[in-house]
């Protein structure tokens, strides 16, 4: 090979090496293009009162159920609750038949008349305030009834029962016979009843400092199923009814027992909302199954433990009727033999 060709070949190799070096430098040294993160638009508009969670019909509004959220100004309606300069500003409608306006502090304790979904603005027409016509009907859970029971300071837990509390009903009576002393007995006949009102107050009374006042009342209104309402009415003619205040944790522990025993079952594939609704309904449901009881003999050795001798007519009246357990879906009830 002649010298000229060798020089050209060497020169070509040098050029190729230099080109490859610069190409690699450009590839590794230049930062990779990055997509600029798009900033999320900051919501603007008037601060409107909205529901923080789903509020079904009959829900009693609490302070954690609502909050303010920016809302497009062109979508703001006259019935919305609007916050301006840190104060509640609810426009007053010129319509004399329009629902009354509420401030944020007055919303607590009202009842949802129309269902409100989470994130939806709360309107004046969707709430009913205590004292308004239809308040009690709106506070009732669908399918439930309101029944009133007369109480005294002794039978009403000394006034320490407030609307929204859960109570059990205790029936105290005397069973007389043809001879010997009467049998004194108390039994818990209904469990887990929700208190709707005491006397004519659907909200606990508070003083100027906001502290709840303990007050005496002569009447308590309870939420019950139609069949339980019938039992409560009959119980008032039998003996004295007393209220037994339930602890807040009782419902949760009983719910766990019902889930463990299979009394409450959650369908497979149920969503979180459906599961929460099943559990909420189970916790709120009053029960009137087999009652617990205590006789005078359990308290004093000088009292009876058993029913005194009866006349044939009395014995027939108190004779226990045989029952069978009937299961319909997830519900099990005891039905006297011979009845449907």
């Amino acid at each position: 090979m002649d010298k000229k060709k060798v020089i050209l070949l060497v020169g070509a190799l040098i050029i190729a090496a230099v080109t490859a070096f610069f190409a690699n430098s450009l590839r590794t040294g230049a930062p990779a293009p990055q997509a600029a993160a798009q900033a999320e638009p900051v919501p603007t508009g008037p601060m409107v009162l909205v529901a923080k969670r789903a509020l079904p019909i009959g829900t009693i509004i609490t302070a954690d159920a609502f909050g303010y959220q920016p809302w497009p100004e062109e979508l703001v309606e006259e019935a919305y609750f609007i916050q301006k300069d840190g104060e509640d500003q609810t426009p007053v409608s010129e319509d004399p038949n329009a629902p009354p306006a509420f401030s944020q502090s007055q919303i607590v304790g009202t009842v949802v008349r129309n269902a409100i979904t989470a994130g939806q603005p709360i309107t004046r027409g969707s709430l009913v305030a205590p004292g308004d016509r239809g308040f009690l009907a709106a506070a009732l859970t669908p399918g439930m009834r309101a029944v009133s029971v007369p109480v005294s300071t002794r039978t009403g837990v000394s006034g320490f029962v407030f609307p929204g509390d859960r109570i059990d009903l205790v029936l105290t009576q005397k069973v007389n016979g043809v001879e010997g002393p009467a049998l004194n007995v108390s039994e818990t006949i209904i469990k887990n009843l929700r208190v709707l009102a005491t006397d004519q107050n659907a909200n606990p009374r508070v003083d100027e400092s906001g502290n709840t006042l303990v007050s005496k009342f002569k009447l308590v209104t309870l939420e019950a199923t139609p069949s339980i309402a019938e039992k409560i009415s009959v119980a008032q003619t039998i003996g004295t009814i007393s209220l037994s205040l339930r602890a807040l944790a009782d419902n949760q522990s009983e719910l766990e027992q019902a889930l463990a025993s299979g009394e409450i079952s959650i369908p497979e594939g149920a969503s979180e909302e459906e599961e929460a609704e099943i559990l909420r309904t189970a916790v709120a449901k009053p029960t009137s199954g087999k009652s617990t009881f205590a006789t005078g003999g359990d308290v004093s050795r000088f009292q009876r433990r058993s029913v005194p001798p009866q006349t044939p007519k009395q014995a027939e009246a108190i004779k226990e009727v045989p029952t069978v357990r009937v299961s319909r879906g997830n519900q099990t009830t005891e039905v006297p033999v011979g009845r449907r």
Side-chain angles (χ1 to χ4, degrees):
M1 183 179 296
D2 57 9
K3 181 185 287 187
K4 185 176 181 181
K5 290 182 179 180
V6 171
I7 294 174
L8 290 176
L9 180 59
V10 171
L13 292 175
I14 294 173
I15 294 173
V18 172
T19 303
F21 173 79
F22 280 108
N24 184 65
S25 299
L26 292 174
R27 181 172 60 82
T28 58
Q34 297 180 355
Q38 186 176 2
E40 295 184 359
V42 178
T44 59
M47 300 295 288
V48 172
L49 200 68
V50 300
K52 288 185 177 180
R53 60 174 185 270
L55 303 175
I57 296 174
T59 302
I60 298 178
I61 298 295
T62 55
D64 60 348
F66 57 85
Y68 283 105
Q69 177 179 308
W71 204 258
E73 187 171 2
E74 64 274 11
L75 300 179
V76 174
E77 301 289 342
E78 181 181 357
Y80 291 174
F81 296 91
I82 304 172
Q83 186 183 49
K84 184 178 181 181
D85 298 331
E87 298 180 356
D88 300 323
Q89 302 289 334
T90 304
V92 179
S93 175
E94 298 179 357
D95 184 1
N97 298 321
F102 305 118
S103 67
Q104 182 177 356
S105 59
Q106 293 172 322
I107 290 176
V108 176
T110 59
V111 171
V112 177
R113 188 207 313 261
N114 303 315
I116 305 173
T117 58
Q120 178 182 349
I122 299 175
T123 63
R124 291 178 296 166
S126 62
L127 303 178
V128 184
D132 292 346
R133 188 176 69 177
F135 172 80
L136 189 58
L140 281 171
T141 305
M144 305 295 275
R145 303 291 184 267
V147 58
S148 295
V149 175
V151 293
S152 63
T153 303
R154 179 178 61 84
T155 62
V157 200
S158 300
F160 284 94
V161 172
F162 304 100
D165 286 343
R166 295 272 170 175
I167 58 99
D168 296 342
L169 282 188
V170 179
L171 172 65
T172 303
Q173 61 177 312
K174 285 187 176 182
V175 181
N176 296 309
V178 293
E179 60 181 37
L183 171 67
N184 296 304
V185 61
S186 289
E187 56 180 330
T188 301
I189 56 173
I190 312 291
K191 295 181 179 180
N192 197 30
L193 289 164
R194 179 166 74 116
V195 177
L196 295 174
T198 54
D199 283 342
Q200 294 181 345
N201 300 311
N203 272 333
R205 296 177 180 179
V206 296
D207 58 17
E208 296 179 355
S209 302
N211 299 318
T212 304
L213 295 175
V214 178
S215 58
K216 298 179 181 179
F217 49 86
K218 297 182 179 180
L219 201 67
V220 60
T221 303
L222 308 170
E223 183 182 62
T225 63
S227 61
I228 290 179
E230 295 170 355
K231 294 179 180 180
I232 294 175
S233 297
V234 172
Q236 296 181 54
T237 67
I238 297 175
T240 302
I241 290 182
S242 302
L243 308 184
S244 178
L245 183 62
R246 295 172 62 90
L248 295 177
D250 281 357
N251 282 3
Q252 183 61 33
S253 61
E254 291 181 1
L255 177 62
E256 293 174 356
Q257 293 176 6
L259 288 171
S261 64
E263 294 180 16
I264 300 175
S265 60
I266 299 176
E268 294 184 4
S271 62
E272 292 184 2
E273 292 78 9
E274 293 172 340
E275 180 178 342
E277 179 62 21
I278 293 173
L279 297 180
R280 186 186 68 83
T281 302
V283 168
K285 186 178 180 181
T287 58
S288 62
K290 290 185 177 179
S291 62
T292 58
F293 66 91
T295 65
D298 297 323
V299 179
S300 170
R301 69 180 67 182
F302 302 105
Q303 293 288 318
R304 297 188 63 98
R305 290 183 178 271
S306 59
V307 177
Q310 307 290 311
T311 64
K313 187 175 182 179
Q314 288 176 318
E316 184 64 26
I318 66 172
K319 184 179 179 181
E320 184 177 357
V321 179
T323 61
V324 294
R325 302 187 71 181
V326 179
S327 297
R328 297 184 178 91
N330 295 330
Q331 295 183 349
T332 301
T333 57
E334 291 192 0
V335 179
V337 175
R339 300 183 186 177
R340 294 183 178 181

